[in-house]
Amino acid sequence: MEVLIYLVPMALLLGLSGLAAFMWSLKNGQYDDVQGAAVRVLSDDDVRK
């Protein structure tokens, strides 16, 4: 049970850092153009004629 003294704060820190990274990505516009990536996958720009 003594290990919980270390595991609980580490889990909270890991969870908060993940939340901070998600909020940072929202702030920087990582999820603004979700349809553009889906259309880009279907384009055949790399095919030579």
Side-chain angles (χ1 to χ4, degrees), residues 6-43:
Y6 301 109
L7 289 180
V8 171
M10 286 173 48
L12 289 174
L13 183 65
L14 186 62
L16 288 175
S17 64
L19 181 64
F22 176 69
M23 297 304 263
W24 174 82
S25 67
L26 280 178
K27 180 182 170 189
N28 286 331
Q30 293 292 317
Y31 304 108
D32 284 348
D33 186 22
V34 292
Q35 289 296 329
V39 173
R40 257 181 276 138
V41 169
L42 299 174
S43 69

